Amino acid sequence: MSKKNNLAKRKKQHEFDLKKEREEREKKATKLQANKNKMKVDGGKKKNKGSSGFSVGKKKLKTKLTPTAKAKAAQAMELDK
């Protein structure tokens, strides 16, 4: 049996990969949570224009929200309630 086809090695490698992915997800989640906690929302400053995108020439571009921006928006909604 070749070294590549060793079932035990493949299983260990697979478990290692899963563990690494899980750790990365947890790290990203904790980082996002930390960003959420330290963010401060100013209620007085509101932009009316450009909230749904911005104009370039005759086309209107829509922007995707990053997870941090989504968290900030959610926090602003909580403050409004």
Side-chain angles (χ1 to χ4, degrees):
M1 188 176 266
S2 69
K3 287 183 180 179
K4 283 185 183 178
N5 209 13
N6 190 350
L7 187 60
K9 279 188 178 182
R10 284 190 308 182
K11 186 176 180 183
K12 283 181 185 177
Q13 185 64 37
H14 180 67
E15 289 172 358
F16 177 78
D17 291 340
L18 289 177
K19 181 181 171 189
K20 192 155 189 135
E21 286 176 10
R22 188 175 349 105
E23 287 173 356
E24 284 178 11
R25 260 187 272 126
E26 290 172 358
K27 186 177 179 183
K28 197 177 279 190
T30 54
K31 194 172 184 182
L32 179 62
Q33 189 64 34
N35 272 347
K36 243 191 222 181
N37 291 340
K38 75 175 183 180
M39 264 189 286
K40 295 177 183 171
V41 178
D42 296 328
K45 298 177 183 178
K46 289 189 178 182
K47 290 184 180 179
N48 293 336
K49 192 172 184 180
S51 61
S52 64
F54 55 93
S55 299
V56 176
K58 292 183 181 179
K59 294 181 181 180
K60 187 161 191 173
L61 296 177
K62 296 220 175 189
T63 56
K64 284 190 174 182
L65 289 177
T66 62
T68 308
K70 284 182 184 176
K72 193 170 185 179
Q75 192 179 32
M77 294 298 264
E78 287 176 10
L79 290 177
D80 290 340
K81 289 181 182 177

